[in-house]
Amino acid sequence: MTHVPVTESALQNFGHNPLSVRDTDHYEQEYIEAFVEKWDELIDWDARAQSEGGFFIQVLAAEGKRRVLDVSTGTGFHSVQLLRAGFDVTSVDGSANMLIKAFENAKRHNLILNTIQADWRWLNKAIQGKYDAIVCLGNSFTHLFDEMDRRRVLAEFYAALRYDGMLILDQRNYDAILDVGYDSTHKYYYCGDRVVAEPEHIDAELARFRYAFPDGREFHLNMFPLRKNYVRRLISEAGFARVRTYGDFQEQYGEHDPDFFIHVATKNAPRGNGDGSDE
């Protein structure tokens, strides 16, 4: 194993008691440059594109959505996929390090991202106009530790959408982790087969994940373990007329089987009953 020298700037700061760090604003200290540089090893763009099978593109295209706000750009995977599929995409993230990496990744695909660094809680101060759809992916909503922050962010999302806009928001299946235990195949989201991503601590208000890479480097994320029905309720109470929930991109699933849930919400209820699990 190659030894990698670690400088102070390459270390995450969780203080003396990492389990006490339960603050929405702390994500800025977690996505340090050294971790962001490793992020694509965890995702594996090619494997993730294959596992998703164009799910998000199909959902957006089926509803005629074109102008998309990717509010959790990360290293740019979904922004790049959507741009390549012909969508008009604006890429937002709270982490400057993530946006820099996303811009570099897009250039390698001969694309230029329209990027905005913004905190979701003040999203509408940073963007212009209304969008057909917002995608909030990569388990990002879990970084909000305070319920008022979650409600405020969903209100910001709602306000940023056109009258018939759509929100696509995903999350880990924390119900299964809390009730049964962790058992992820990394089949769909975190597809890097040489990276270990697993919970180091879990309780009702904190999921602390460890990410171990082949070169011996380790990083952590502290997240709030959101239960599925709680998130569905928050989305509905934010004003969305319908919420459909998929498990690992499937309409039918056992509650504890999927690694991830994907919530697809619309501002105005469409005609007919539609598919998926509806509110």
Side-chain angles (χ1 to χ4, degrees):
M1 182 180 295
T2 303
H3 174 70
V4 179
V6 179
T7 63
E8 184 176 350
S9 62
L11 296 174
Q12 295 174 313
N13 180 16
F14 285 93
H16 297 296
N17 182 10
L19 300 186
S20 69
V21 179
R22 306 182 182 207
D23 178 20
T24 296
D25 293 307
H26 194 262
Y27 76 89
E28 296 182 25
Q29 300 178 50
E30 296 176 13
Y31 290 107
I32 59 174
E33 184 177 355
F35 190 19
V36 170
E37 284 297 320
K38 291 285 195 182
W39 195 253
D40 288 333
E41 293 182 40
L42 177 65
I43 293 176
D44 188 335
W45 281 37
D46 291 339
R48 184 160 181 177
Q50 183 176 2
S51 71
E52 288 186 0
F55 175 86
F56 299 109
I57 291 170
Q58 293 166 15
V59 169
L60 292 167
E63 297 295 331
K65 307 307 179 188
R66 183 179 179 277
R67 190 168 191 246
V68 180
L69 188 65
D70 180 0
V71 295
S72 52
T73 298
T75 56
F77 173 79
H78 286 107
S79 284
V80 167
Q81 300 301 313
L82 293 170
L83 280 170
R84 293 172 72 177
F87 293 90
D88 176 4
V89 182
T90 299
S91 304
V92 173
D93 205 283
S95 166
N97 289 330
M98 281 292 196
L99 288 177
I100 291 170
K101 186 64 175 178
F103 196 85
E104 294 172 354
N105 283 338
K107 285 183 67 177
R108 281 195 285 272
H109 288 84
N110 298 314
L111 297 169
I112 301 297
L113 293 188
N114 174 24
T115 61
I116 299 173
Q117 184 180 358
D119 188 306
W120 295 338
R121 292 168 291 186
W122 299 275
L123 177 65
N124 285 276
K125 292 183 178 180
I127 63 174
Q128 294 183 344
K130 303 289 186 180
Y131 289 82
D132 298 327
I134 290 176
V135 294
C136 180
L137 305 175
N139 195 43
S140 302
F141 198 69
T142 195
H143 286 300
L144 301 171
F145 275 86
D146 184 80
E147 180 167 317
M148 292 308 298
D149 283 342
R150 296 180 204 115
R151 292 185 181 277
R152 177 171 182 167
V153 166
L154 288 171
E156 289 285 318
F157 289 172
Y158 190 92
L161 288 167
R162 288 168 46 86
Y163 73 95
D164 59 348
M166 170 183 287
L167 169 66
I168 305 179
L169 184 152
D170 72 10
Q171 63 169 104
R172 278 189 181 274
N173 185 350
Y174 288 111
D175 292 72
I177 296 174
L178 289 165
D179 298 339
V180 179
Y182 181 74
D183 182 21
S184 173
T185 61
H186 305 301
K187 181 179 179 181
Y188 294 101
Y189 270 61
Y190 300 122
C191 300
D193 58 7
R194 300 182 63 207
V195 182
V196 175
E198 60 187 8
E200 192 172 77
H201 171 87
I202 185 79
D203 63 45
E205 296 180 343
L206 177 68
R208 178 171 171 80
F209 268 71
R210 178 178 72 96
Y211 302 85
F213 293 85
D215 64 359
R217 300 295 302 277
E218 289 190 3
F219 301 91
H220 293 82
L221 291 177
N222 280 14
M223 298 169 285
F224 190 94
L226 298 160
R227 287 190 176 272
K228 183 193 77 170
N229 287 335
Y230 169 73
V231 175
R232 285 171 57 88
R233 177 169 60 82
L234 287 183
I235 293 172
S236 295
E237 291 177 357
F240 289 91
R242 187 178 74 160
V243 184
R244 292 174 290 162
T245 298
Y246 298 82
D248 287 342
F249 313 112
Q250 303 300 314
E251 296 175 11
Q252 303 296 325
Y253 53 86
E255 288 299 310
H256 290 153
D257 293 337
D259 284 344
F260 273 75
F261 294 121
I262 303 101
H263 308 290
V264 179
T266 51
K267 288 184 74 168
N268 290 331
R271 295 176 181 176
N273 294 325
D275 297 317
S277 300
D278 295 329
E279 286 278 351

